[in-house]
Amino acid sequence: KAGVTQTPRYLIKTRGQQVTLSCSPISGHRSVSWYQQTPGQGLQFLFEYFSETQRNKGNFPGRFSGRQFSNSRSEMNVSTLELGDSALYLCASTPGTYSYEQYFGPGTRLTVT
Amino acid sequence: KNEVEQSPQNLTAQEGEFITINCSYSVGISALHWLQQHPGGGIVSLFMLSSGKKKHGRLIATINIQEKHSSLHITASHPRDSAVYICAVSNFGNEKLTFGTGTRLTIIP
């Protein structure tokens, strides 16, 4: 089976712009979680989608949003980018019933200038 | 106090040494995860455990539910084991992972 894929791998944006990141889970996996990793805060949970519904949400401002499509692919969007949004954004997929091992994608490295 | 604490933060050892990384958590959990992150960012799940002990090759993970503590051991360490090792916990009915700050391991040939 192909692994979790994320596009793009690298992205440079300017403050105030918006960005959309994409995640394709392992075939058959219905849950996609998103995480942000920064040197200062480490890894933090953004949100999780299952069957096109947001099932869990972390403590991030409303500028961070996401969605999931019927084929389980997921996108996350960040509007009005700030310098502090520069980070590695990782997604992970699982079959969807709870407490499964998570399979991580390679990440999208976002730089906001 | 963070929900998940790891120690040490950094660890440098000679090739062949036995390595132990510790993780303590303060909340009820359904599972504890050990993850490995190499330079470049990719994360690999090493273990997911809710009780006892698991072994995969030279890696061993143990968990003590009563003491809310887990350890990751690496036997016969090798330079290719150099990476950041991250402990994370998940709660009942929830895919959300809460992470420790990671342990940066460097194995010197």
Side-chain angles (χ1 to χ4, degrees):
Chain A
K1 277 187 182 177
V4 178
T5 58
Q6 290 187 245
T7 57
R9 293 292 310 278
Y10 303 91
L11 203 50
I12 300 175
K13 289 287 190 179
T14 304
R15 266 182 307 176
Q17 288 186 315
Q18 74 164 17
V19 67
T20 299
L21 312 181
S22 180
C23 173
S24 292
I26 290 172
S27 177
H29 284 193
R30 296 166 65 193
S31 168
V32 174
S33 297
W34 288 90
Y35 300 93
Q36 181 197 63
Q37 186 176 34
T38 60
Q41 298 297 318
L43 276 158
Q44 297 184 91
F45 172 79
L46 279 156
F47 29 64
E48 183 229 349
Y49 285 86
F50 176 77
S51 291
E52 302 178 64
T53 301
Q54 188 180 87
R55 192 160 63 171
N56 287 297
K57 189 177 190 304
N59 297 322
F60 278 81
R63 300 186 297 108
F64 292 82
S65 63
R67 60 178 176 168
Q68 187 179 36
F69 301 94
S70 58
N71 62 357
S72 294
R73 189 178 71 86
S74 178
E75 289 181 347
M76 68 162 282
N77 184 77
V78 189
S79 62
T80 319
L81 284 166
E82 300 177 0
L83 294 178
D85 297 332
S86 294
L88 180 67
Y89 290 88
L90 293 152
C91 75
S93 75
T94 75
T97 48
Y98 294 118
S99 296
Y100 268 85
E101 178 181 2
Q102 297 203 8
Y103 294 83
F104 286 82
T108 294
R109 189 165 296 280
L110 171 65
T111 302
V112 182
T113 62
Chain B
K1 188 178 190 299
N2 292 330
E3 292 183 5
V4 183
E5 300 273 356
Q6 274 187 250
S7 63
Q9 284 193 305
N10 294 283
L11 179 57
T12 300
Q14 293 290 130
E15 182 174 355
E17 285 190 38
F18 182 81
I19 303 298
T20 296
I21 299 170
N22 295 299
C23 176
S24 296
Y25 54 93
S26 58
V27 296
I29 66 169
S30 59
L32 185 139
H33 306 247
W34 281 104
L35 311 170
Q36 181 192 56
Q37 186 172 34
H38 280 282
I43 292 178
V44 174
S45 177
L46 298 174
F47 295 102
M48 187 185 79
L49 62 166
S50 54
S51 64
K53 176 179 173 178
K54 286 190 176 181
K55 184 176 189 291
H56 183 255
R58 295 179 294 107
L59 273 60
I60 302 165
T62 63
I63 188 169
N64 184 317
I65 298 295
Q66 286 73 31
E67 295 187 2
K68 292 187 168 64
H69 181 269
S70 176
S71 294
L72 176 68
H73 306 287
I74 304 175
T75 62
S77 58
H78 190 276
R80 65 175 174 266
D81 297 326
S82 297
V84 175
Y85 292 84
I86 303 167
C87 168
V89 299
S90 54
N91 297 312
F92 297 100
N94 196 328
E95 291 281 26
K96 169 189 172 182
L97 292 180
T98 302
F99 300 89
T101 53
T103 295
R104 185 174 300 276
L105 174 66
T106 303
I107 304 297
I108 300 170

